[in-house]
Amino acid sequence: MSLVEQNEDGIFMLDTDGYFLESNEATTTIIGYTPLELIGKNIVHFLPRNEISNLSQYLLSAIEIENVKFETKVYHKNGDELSIELKFVPIYINDNVIGVYGIAKDISKEKLILEKLKKTNNQLESFIKYNSDAIIIMNLEKKIEIVNQAFTNIFDYTDEE
């Protein structure tokens, strides 16, 4: 078994126009299409319209310059929109670029977790900032990290103190 077959990341080959030539099973796991369903289809077929021009630029950069790594959205076969991290690596034969390898990682869960974390952080900051009770947060070394406005008003301290 090869590295491509065993890899948990989707690995595929595109020609210089963006048409699928090959893909591994991990690609199928990520977007739901089998290698046979992908071969001969252009990669833009699987993207939301607002992602097409960016992807086309990244593909051109990989063909003309070097490896490129970026985040984009794709549609799964079931219609779900996924966030993926994608890397294009040029394929050379006799000093000519004949296409690119694509390496895709589904980062949808990570993006969702990050979004929830940001929301929770914003809620916590809002709770501290607008609370009428004095709030002080100290680190393990008993150094003051955060005080709210109520604390500074009640104890007649400034934020800097």
Side-chain angles (χ1 to χ4, degrees):
M1 298 245 176
S2 74
L3 177 63
V4 171
E5 293 167 348
Q6 293 297 307
N7 204 310
E8 64 185 30
D9 292 337
I11 299 177
F12 53 88
M13 189 185 330
L14 303 174
D15 67 14
T16 55
D17 293 320
Y19 288 91
F20 280 92
L21 301 172
E22 289 182 44
S23 68
N24 68 352
E25 286 302 317
T27 304
T28 302
T29 302
I30 293 170
I31 63 172
Y33 293 92
T34 67
L36 286 176
E37 291 173 308
L38 291 173
I39 292 173
K41 291 218 170 50
N42 196 291
I43 191 169
V44 300
H45 175 78
F46 306 96
L47 302 174
R49 287 190 188 272
N50 63 333
E51 296 287 332
I52 293 173
S53 77
N54 287 340
L55 184 117
S56 297
Q57 286 297 321
Y58 289 124
L59 180 61
L60 187 60
S61 292
I63 292 168
E64 293 180 350
I65 304 169
E66 60 189 355
N67 301 350
V68 291
K69 188 175 184 180
F70 57 99
E71 291 182 12
T72 191
K73 305 273 187 189
V74 297
Y75 289 121
H76 187 278
K77 188 176 184 177
N78 67 12
D80 290 345
E81 187 176 277
L82 305 173
S83 294
I84 62 167
E85 181 180 85
L86 192 55
K87 182 174 185 177
F88 286 152
V89 179
I91 304 168
Y92 290 94
I93 293 184
N94 299 326
D95 295 330
N96 294 317
V97 176
I98 60 144
V100 298
Y101 287 113
I103 304 166
K105 181 179 180 111
D106 184 355
I107 57 170
S108 300
K109 288 179 185 173
E110 290 88 344
K111 296 280 260 187
L112 185 60
I113 290 168
L114 186 58
E115 188 177 303
K116 286 181 180 181
L117 183 61
K118 285 179 182 178
K119 181 179 178 183
T120 301
N121 188 54
N122 288 340
Q123 289 171 333
L124 180 60
E125 285 179 355
S126 179
F127 172 78
I128 292 169
K129 182 176 181 178
Y130 297 109
N131 199 308
S132 60
D133 294 327
I135 297 176
I136 182 170
I137 298 177
M138 302 172 88
N139 64 22
L140 294 175
E141 290 82 36
K142 297 185 180 179
K143 181 179 177 190
I144 297 173
E145 294 284 333
I146 299 171
V147 296
N148 69 348
Q149 188 64 45
F151 181 92
T152 59
N153 292 343
I154 292 169
F155 295 103
D156 201 29
Y157 283 101
T158 63
D159 286 338
E160 292 78 33
E161 292 178 300

